[in-house]
Amino acid sequence: MAAARKPVPVAEAPSRGRYFNSGNGPSIVPIDIGHKEYMGLIDPDTAFWSLVKKDRLADTLTDARFISAYKKKSEKFADEMHMLRFGLKPTAVYFNSTEQCNLNCTYCYIPGDMRKNGRHMTEKELLAALAKLKTHFRKTMPKGRLPQIIFHGAEPMLNRKAVFRGIEKYRDDFQFGIQTNATLLDDEAIAFLTARDVSIGLSLDGHTAAIADKTRTNWTGKGVFEKVEETIDKLKGYHGFSVICTITSENMRHLSSMVDYLHARHVPTCLLNIVRCTLPPSLAVKPDDTPSARHFLKALDRSRELYKKTGRKLVVANYANILISILAPTARRLMCDISPCGGGRAFFALAPNGDLFPCSEFVGLARFNGGNLFKDGVDAVLESEAFKMVTERKVEDIKACGKCAIRHFCGSPCPAEAHETNGGMKATGSFCEFYEEQTRHALRAIADGKDNDYLWDGWDKGTRTTFDTHML
Amino acid sequence: MVKGFDEFHGELVGTLFFWLFYLERDLFMKKKLETPAKDVIASRKSCDPKGTGLSHYILSANKKAK
């Protein structure tokens, strides 16, 4: 795995670094965050940020105390980012226990033929795979933490018996989750999963059948909204429950209503994920950057309004993750919006035949197959050329991102999409402005002291403050 | 029914307590509103990044290793 260049030690540097943006002084880039009073000041390399009143900008940039306070910390922050970006080992597996799916969603990144005619993993294969993964993670996991196995798409509930056997047998060895379209989640399955603390993620793209069923239907074109709604209501009160809504051109105008809908149903966490355009069919529902960002931010504001009105939060986890990446970069939970992304270095994906890919987005793309769990073992696969194509994709190497101040709050996702649709690994992801607007919104929320309204209660448990305004 | 002194005293103390509570809260809010916005806001928290990290899927449960 390629390491990013570390900062030059001060002693070897050409200047004492007494000024911002010259000699060996820290680089601080001013950015417009769209706030009436504040500008952002960001060191793009360390992800250090501050918000400065617009009429105090010049004074702050020439304030020796400010430069000195930041300089004392900059090397530590650089090390922290280096560890986050290049020093992690995988702790999670997206476990595809079947290639088949009973739905034919417009934007699915798994090829249609595979979803229609693919194979299931046998129970024996599934248990053998979990045994292999247990052995691997035993030597790599930090003490006190369990690796995570997420049974993922296609539709894992089509291989229910084997999946549930795996959960039962290895319940003390992994933290399990399942991402499902909910159509096969009956009462017995819910009881089984909730009794074993399995996290359950459901997929739903709209607050009405007319919207949700535009992108998520079965192979005969029939929508599944009612069934998903029924399951959401059954899961009310379960702590490990979330809903993923994929933002497309079909539903982006209704995201605020979606937030209302999910909040009313006591869903604790949702993800409003912009569609990934890895395979051509998804381009048909690709939304434009500007309107999708506008509707997304409106939905975020709505989630806060509902919190203020009811005292109960619906956390939009993908946005919360960007907020956390600003407030506490190393406390982030999701690894799409960091560069290199988490694919192949924080997690990887397992296909039903044992083949390993950096992420589920790459399942079905043969050139990203890094090897086979049963034949090659995880360590060899992590070092494979196929994985390195992803783990070595850095924002510094992407022309548009190399000069972007917020590149470590965005990460230019997604490499699968960049490679398949945008012309290669050194191309940006498809939704540059969408991420830019999220970051600006997050910085405005911080400026207005609203950031905690968007975050899980206790999100910063286990963190320590390493820089604060009073240090200036 | 005629209230005894202790009962009356209790109600008085209770009323006084709530009055003081609200007065203090109002003063706090007033002070907060009057506090000028800071010229510079900056903060960073740190922790060990090892052991977590997913793609577009969030896990809410937090089961610890035995």
Side-chain angles (χ1 to χ4, degrees), chain A residues 90 132-133 136 348 356 372-373 376-383:
Chain A
K132 282 251 178 203
L133 292 170
H136 170 77
F348 53 86
L356 295 171
N372 189 281
L373 176 67
D376 305 304
V378 176
D379 289 330
V381 173
L382 293 177
E383 291 303 316

Side-chain angles (χ1 to χ4, degrees), chain A residues 328-393:
Chain A
T330 47
R332 64 168 65 232
R333 297 281 303 275
L334 306 180
M335 290 291 193
C336 285
D337 44 27
I338 178 83
S339 153
C341 74
R345 67 179 193 94
F347 53 81
F348 53 86
L350 171 70
N353 64 357
D355 284 348
L356 295 171
F357 296 85
C359 170
S360 290
E361 288 285 335
F362 293 99
V363 172
L365 303 175
R367 64 185 302 180
F368 290 98
N369 175 1
N372 189 281
L373 176 67
F374 301 111
K375 294 174 196 156
D376 305 304
V378 176
D379 289 330
V381 173
L382 293 177
E383 291 303 316
S384 66
E385 284 308 311
F387 270 48
K388 280 184 178 173
M389 281 175 71
V390 178
T391 58
E392 292 183 357
R393 177 180 183 263

